[in-house]
Amino acid sequence: MSSLQLRQIGKRFGHVVAVSSLDLEVAPGECVALLGPSGCGKTTTLRMVAGFEDIDEGEIEAGDRLLSSKKRNYYLPPEKRDFGMVFQAFAVWPHLSVHENVAFPLRVRKLPAAEIERRVRAALTHTHLLDVAASRPDELSGGGKQRVALARALVIEPAVMLLDEPLSSLDPHFREEMRFEIKDIQRRLGFSMLYVTHDQSEAMALSDRILVMKNGVLQQVGSPMEVYYHPANRFVFGFIGLSSFLRVGFSGGSIWVGDVPMPLAVAGDAPAELVGAGEAVLAVRPTDVDFVSEDGLRGVARRRAFLGEIADYQIAIGAQVLRVQKLRHETGPQVGEKATHLSRDRLQFQWVTHDPLAGFPRHGKFPHLADQPVEKIRERCTKQACGRRSSVMASQPIVVDDRQSLQTPFRPPTPVMVHLGKATIAPLNGG
């Protein structure tokens, strides 16, 4: 049985649709991150689950308990839902000790003193606060205060924990430390968790599945790896991780980036409706672009920034810009150096179908086609795409080459190539 079920829930504020027809099931012991930009509906969804906002449509259940139902005109208040809740603000009482802050929800429930002490001690132990139980919250760091809030939520022994951007007010060091502590506590105690965040790294580190939202509509739900490597549409591709988008055109059996031709005839591998449109978008991760020495897509290195372990490049291809990231010890072009190349390695295709009525993208992917000849790839693509209203996402290597490192002095321009390891071709206005 699922710990939590959301069935077609929706919420409006006047004429604004905050959440539209959202479905989600959370399994026992599972962590699901609600991820999206500000105003996407993720916090509103969490507040409906908590009972702070009533739903305008759909139903919410926890196990075999009905929590909210518009159809049945039923609403269970927050204090009876028995969910642990951790807010963005610490929301701890400064005049109470750490022990009394954690014990407060149990005293409200009028539990026996011995049971209160047992539960408080267990919660303080799990959050590493036992040694500071007599201290006031103001004597603790930001991370310590958030541990108090977490312990207070844990002390009621909930089956489901709800966390609303709990680490956003912490500095980067404490934020990274706390995210792993929260995950460790969840694994040890086995509760389910809904975690709202706009921080992609938090969602990746904490969650078993990520639910991506935009304008109140579910865009994709899947494991962190699935959402990252197989995004459902352009929005998900652009929101999860770093990305570069290039406008491309189809002409003469080739793909062109502005007036710069790609040396690959991949247009023949794309569905006819995409080629017929004349234009599309090529998307690629900066880390999937390699610098090589021949057969490349011509460009010029316009910027190179040192970011610690990463060197970040901006490659101008005609009037467009491609972002590239390499480890600092890897070679890369000097600013002003010319770059060239695109290779045919690692072709992979992904079809994306959009249902505008439901607003929910469904996707399916093709197996890796790295070692298959182009004729075979074209044959499979034609068969699989037949009869579908779809867009193709083609994983292409690109290449920008040189032999320079950040430590070496400037040398005269040499031919270079950019290899787009996992590029994606999609409609110009898709997703």
Side-chain angles (χ1 to χ4, degrees), residues 266-288:
V266 290
D269 299 323
E273 63 268 30
L274 188 60
V275 177
E279 291 184 305
V281 171
L282 181 70
V284 66
R285 305 288 184 193
T287 52
D288 285 333

Side-chain angles (χ1 to χ4, degrees), residues 9-259:
I9 68 167
K11 184 67 181 178
R12 293 175 179 269
F13 296 100
H15 297 294
V16 177
V17 179
V19 178
S20 176
S21 303
L22 179 61
D23 282 301
L24 177 66
E25 288 198 13
V26 181
E30 182 183 28
C31 175
V32 176
L34 306 183
L35 180 66
S38 297
C40 73
K42 56 188 185 294
T43 294
T44 300
T45 299
L46 195 77
R47 290 177 61 83
M48 287 190 288
V49 173
F52 301 143
E53 298 282 355
D54 198 5
I55 59 178
D56 290 332
E57 59 184 50
E59 289 187 340
I60 301 175
E61 294 182 355
D64 57 357
R65 292 192 306 149
L66 181 64
L67 304 181
S68 298
S69 174
K70 188 64 176 179
K71 182 179 180 180
R72 304 186 215 181
N73 195 28
Y74 182 80
Y75 165 78
L76 188 69
E79 66 272 14
K80 295 184 178 180
R81 299 193 180 198
D82 291 327
F83 290 159
M85 183 81 191
V86 180
F87 299 93
Q88 183 174 346
F90 304 133
V92 294
W93 288 282
H95 64 290
L96 298 179
S97 68
V98 169
H99 183 285
E100 287 305 304
N101 264 280
V102 176
F104 183 81
L106 302 181
R107 299 199 191 284
V108 170
R109 287 168 170 78
K110 299 181 179 179
L111 268 62
E115 179 66 8
I116 291 176
E117 187 59 33
R118 181 191 70 79
R119 290 198 190 188
V120 170
R121 187 174 183 84
L124 294 177
T125 300
H126 286 308
T127 52
H128 309 291
L129 290 170
L130 198 58
D131 291 341
V132 293
S135 302
R136 296 284 181 87
D138 288 344
E139 299 174 49
L140 306 179
S141 65
K145 292 174 185 175
Q146 197 58 286
R147 286 192 186 94
V148 175
L150 182 60
R152 188 176 57 196
L154 291 172
V155 79
I156 64 172
E157 299 180 354
V160 178
M161 284 280 286
L162 309 175
L163 298 93
D164 186 12
E165 303 201 46
L167 308 183
S168 60
S169 58
L170 301 181
D171 63 45
H173 172 73
F174 283 123
R175 188 159 60 238
E176 184 174 359
E177 179 182 315
M178 282 298 299
R179 74 171 62 142
F180 292 113
E181 286 195 21
I182 290 172
K183 187 62 179 177
D184 182 57
I185 291 170
Q186 189 229 351
R187 284 174 174 162
R188 279 188 278 123
L189 299 183
F191 52 81
S192 300
M193 187 159 67
L194 266 186
Y195 191 102
V196 166
T197 182
H198 62 270
D199 188 314
Q200 302 159 28
S201 58
E202 253 177 52
M204 294 280 187
L206 281 164
S207 62
D208 300 299
R209 286 188 297 154
I210 297 175
L211 185 152
V212 184
M213 298 182 71
K214 176 188 178 184
N215 297 332
V217 177
L218 171 66
Q219 301 295 306
Q220 185 173 2
V221 60
S223 69
M225 290 187 67
E226 181 182 3
V227 171
Y228 185 84
Y229 288 111
H230 303 290
N233 56 33
R234 179 174 176 173
F235 170 77
V236 177
F237 194 108
F239 190 77
I240 303 292
L242 299 175
S243 57
S244 289
F245 294 98
L246 298 175
R247 293 167 65 102
V248 299
F250 299 93
S251 178
S254 295
I255 295 182
W256 294 69
V257 181
D259 59 355

Side-chain angles (χ1 to χ4, degrees), residues 39 66 95 206 224 241-242 251 289 335 340 359 365-366 373 389-390:
L66 181 64
H95 64 290
L206 281 164
L242 299 175
S251 178
V289 181
V335 174
T340 318
K365 58 183 181 295
F366 285 81
R389 180 174 61 83
S390 56

Side-chain angles (χ1 to χ4, degrees), residues 229-230 264 266 269 282-292 326 330 341-350 366-374 377 393-400 418-425:
Y229 288 111
H230 303 290
L264 269 185
V266 290
D269 299 323
L282 181 70
V284 66
R285 305 288 184 193
T287 52
D288 285 333
V289 181
D290 293 323
F291 294 115
V292 295
K326 310 305 294 180
E330 297 183 79
H341 190 65
L342 175 61
S343 133
R344 176 173 254 131
D345 304 348
R346 295 183 290 169
L347 286 177
Q348 179 181 344
F349 293 88
Q350 180 177 12
F366 285 81
H368 206 284
L369 304 175
D371 301 322
Q372 300 191 31
V374 173
I377 295 171
M393 307 175 80
S395 297
Q396 305 283 353
I398 290 195
V399 191
V400 181
V418 278
H419 176 187
L420 279 69
K422 293 179 182 177
T424 294
I425 302 176

